[in-house]
Amino acid sequence: AQSVTQPDIHITVSEGASLELRCNYSYGATPYLFWYVQSPGQGLQLLLKYFSGDTLVQGIKGFEAEFKRSQSSFNLRKPSVHWSDAAEYFCAVGNQAGTALIFGKGTTLSVSS
Amino acid sequence: DAGVIQSPRHEVTEMGQEVTLRCKPISGHDYLFWYRQTMMRGLELLIYFNNNVPIDDSGMPEDRFSAKMPNASFSTLKIQPSEPRDSAVYFCASSLLTGGNTEAFFGQGTRLTVV
């Protein structure tokens, strides 16, 4: 079955510390992978996506993600978290139309000072 | 461009009433998506269109839900009759297929409450 798993429901990180949000997927075809961020009461904003090529993908706001086919993972990282990064983060798998077909349940990031 | 525009932003209706949610995609985009977000089920893709034609509606929960895209600049999601379990935030998104550099842009969502 096709699915996206984000094992961590809630993570708290100190401001300035590094961050890694985990994502594992199960998808029958070539995966197109996405990370979105959602602030309270807002829509989703694309942080980055992986379609092909270099497995380390750079996104906006200093985020990056690494695609590891052997582990079926697409973890999101940031070297130094800012208070404004507090939000909910969604990993998704989809197709080349930019369609995020299946979303993970999301990880809520809190940033402590 | 103003982005994807959804209306209304909030809708409160009584059970049994018809509800229509509206979406104006970004001009020139050829894909349009409808999603639903709930605490229990998270984000779910309901249906998507390509060039105004429905491509996959397998996510539409039941016959009470219907979606149309009469032209490239407008889409509706209708629930008739509405039920309390339809309460959710409904998102519309649009994208333009550009050979690998495609990004779907989301609207702000419509928060539907059925009482």
Side-chain angles (χ1 to χ4, degrees):
Chain A
Q2 301 175 13
S3 64
V4 175
T5 302
Q6 293 180 246
D8 304 305
I9 296 173
H10 190 191
I11 284 182
T12 299
V13 175
S14 299
E15 189 169 17
S18 63
L19 170 71
E20 182 169 29
L21 302 182
R22 296 182 291 165
C23 173
N24 293 96
Y25 67 90
S26 173
Y27 195 66
T30 300
Y32 293 81
L33 296 158
F34 309 82
W35 274 100
Y36 284 89
V37 62
Q38 184 180 32
S39 297
Q42 301 297 311
L44 280 77
Q45 181 183 22
L46 181 68
L47 286 176
L48 47 78
K49 59 184 182 288
Y50 171 77
F51 282 1
S52 64
D54 193 347
T55 56
L56 185 62
V57 180
Q58 301 298 319
I60 62 171
K61 304 184 181 185
F63 286 92
E64 65 178 26
E66 185 171 13
F67 170 59
K68 292 185 178 180
R69 185 184 298 275
S70 62
Q71 298 177 20
S72 297
S73 69
F74 189 56
N75 294 347
L76 182 71
R77 300 194 294 251
K78 186 170 184 178
S80 178
V81 168
H82 188 262
W83 64 267
S84 61
D85 293 325
E88 190 157 18
Y89 292 80
F90 293 93
C91 180
V93 64
N95 65 22
Q96 73 276 14
T99 308
L101 298 176
I102 304 168
F103 280 87
K105 290 296 178 67
T107 298
T108 299
L109 173 65
S110 298
V111 180
S112 61
S113 56
Chain B
D1 199 311
V4 176
I5 299 173
Q6 293 185 245
S7 63
R9 289 294 311 276
H10 301 273
E11 176 80 40
V12 180
T13 191
E14 292 185 347
M15 181 175 61
Q17 296 297 307
E18 177 180 296
V19 176
T20 299
L21 311 181
R22 297 172 175 79
C23 176
K24 176 177 167 46
I26 292 174
S27 177
H29 281 190
D30 55 356
Y31 281 83
L32 183 137
F33 316 94
W34 282 101
Y35 296 88
R36 178 173 68 174
Q37 184 176 33
T38 61
M39 289 293 292
M40 290 297 295
R41 301 176 66 88
L43 272 157
E44 304 170 281
L45 176 65
L46 300 178
I47 184 172
Y48 73 95
F49 296 81
N50 177 220
N51 292 323
N52 313 336
V53 176
I55 301 301
D56 184 351
D57 65 354
S58 59
M60 297 286 264
E62 46 195 283
D63 292 345
R64 297 184 297 106
F65 286 70
S66 62
K68 294 182 180 179
M69 192 164 186
N71 57 62
S73 60
F74 184 65
S75 176
T76 59
L77 178 67
K78 184 179 295 185
I79 308 172
Q80 164 66 16
S82 58
E83 296 183 4
R85 59 194 169 114
D86 302 330
S87 298
V89 180
Y90 291 82
F91 288 103
C92 176
S94 70
S95 71
L96 174 64
L97 186 59
T98 56
N101 196 31
T102 301
E103 175 181 348
F105 292 85
F106 282 73
Q108 300 267 17
T110 295
R111 181 174 296 276
L112 173 65
T113 303
V114 183
V115 298

